Amino acid sequence: GAVVSQHPSWVICKSGTSVKIECRSLDFQATTMFWYRQFPKQSLMLMATSNEGSKATYEQGVEKDKFLINHASLTLSTLTVTSAHPEDSSFYICSARTSGSPEQYFGPGTRLTVT
Amino acid sequence: AQKVTQAQTEISVVEKEDVTLDCVYETRDTTYYLFWYKQPPSGELVFLIRRNSFDEQNEISGRYSWNFQKSTSSFNFTITASQVVDSAVYFCALSGQGNTGKLIFGQGTTLQVKP
């Protein structure tokens, strides 16, 4: 149980285009989802926290107009990287948790390369 | 402010050696959770353990053991009789009671186990 999927697992896009990444909780209802970014040989950095039906809360330094997060249902959150640039190339990981539980379940990650 | 420090950036051992990965944390919360994750080259995070702040009992799971000491704010991880398959990046993480469950990750320790 407690499986989180991400789609796509990897994507290559051209600079200036937008990319959408999906995060789904397959067998539980995720009241909260988190989006992390990980650059090579670095740690995971939280980008934003999203609660179902509410606007996402972004961490300091993360551009909310560039990284659009939607958490429209209890099983799906999306991250859209708008007008992507090469410096946005990174490994994006989502996680999900249910209300009241300290446990977070991580997706397998999406590797984004912007050319 | 909450912070997790993994002072060891890289560790290299020979198979069958024991190895300890250090984790020191900072928090003002009285209730918090500590985690260890393994990240193999595939990138997907593998959950290893969760500990809450009220449970200082050490835990052993097969070749893995954890030593939680609130007095020194440490949550160290020991692998006994290491194997090549243990080679990965290991992250220690902290989740406090007042931060909506978001995880604060340490910098990670890259473990290389040589045959």
Side-chain angles (χ1 to χ4, degrees), chain B residues 35-69:
Chain B
F35 301 79
W36 274 96
Y37 292 91
K38 174 182 180 181
Q39 187 178 42
S42 65
E44 185 164 2
L45 282 177
V46 177
F47 168 80
L48 296 178
I49 190 171
R50 181 189 79 222
R51 258 289 175 266
N52 74 52
S53 52
F54 297 108
D55 183 1
E56 283 194 76
Q57 282 192 356
N58 292 330
E59 180 150 341
I60 298 175
S61 176
R63 297 184 297 108
Y64 297 168
S65 62
W66 291 269
N67 184 352
F68 176 27
Q69 292 195 351

Side-chain angles (χ1 to χ4, degrees), chain A residues 23-42:
Chain A
C23 176
R24 293 181 184 272
S25 57
L26 299 185
D27 50 5
F28 68 100
Q29 293 186 330
T31 51
T32 305
M33 287 186 169
F34 303 89
W35 287 94
Y36 296 86
R37 180 168 54 181
Q38 185 181 31
F39 291 110
K41 296 191 181 299
Q42 293 188 24

Side-chain angles (χ1 to χ4, degrees), chain A residues 34 36 38 42-44 46 49 59 91 93 97 102-104 106 108, chain B residues 33 35 37 39 43-45 47 50 91 100-103 105-107:
Chain A
F34 303 89
Y36 296 86
Q38 185 181 31
Q42 293 188 24
S43 186
L44 283 78
L46 179 67
T49 303
E59 294 298 300
F91 191 53
I93 306 172
R97 65 189 284 257
E103 199 65 62
Q104 283 189 36
F106 284 85
Chain B
Y33 297 91
F35 301 79
Y37 292 91
Q39 187 178 42
E44 185 164 2
L45 282 177
F47 168 80
R50 181 189 79 222
F91 291 99
T100 69
K102 66 181 181 182
L103 288 171
F105 283 86
Q107 302 92 318

Side-chain angles (χ1 to χ4, degrees), chain A residues 33-70:
Chain A
M33 287 186 169
F34 303 89
W35 287 94
Y36 296 86
R37 180 168 54 181
Q38 185 181 31
F39 291 110
K41 296 191 181 299
Q42 293 188 24
S43 186
L44 283 78
M45 296 301 294
L46 179 67
M47 299 176 66
T49 303
S50 74
N51 293 296
E52 185 265 338
S54 302
K55 288 185 178 180
T57 302
Y58 291 80
E59 294 298 300
Q60 194 170 12
V62 178
E63 299 174 57
K64 62 179 66 177
D65 294 330
K66 181 172 182 60
F67 299 99
L68 303 179
I69 292 172
N70 184 285

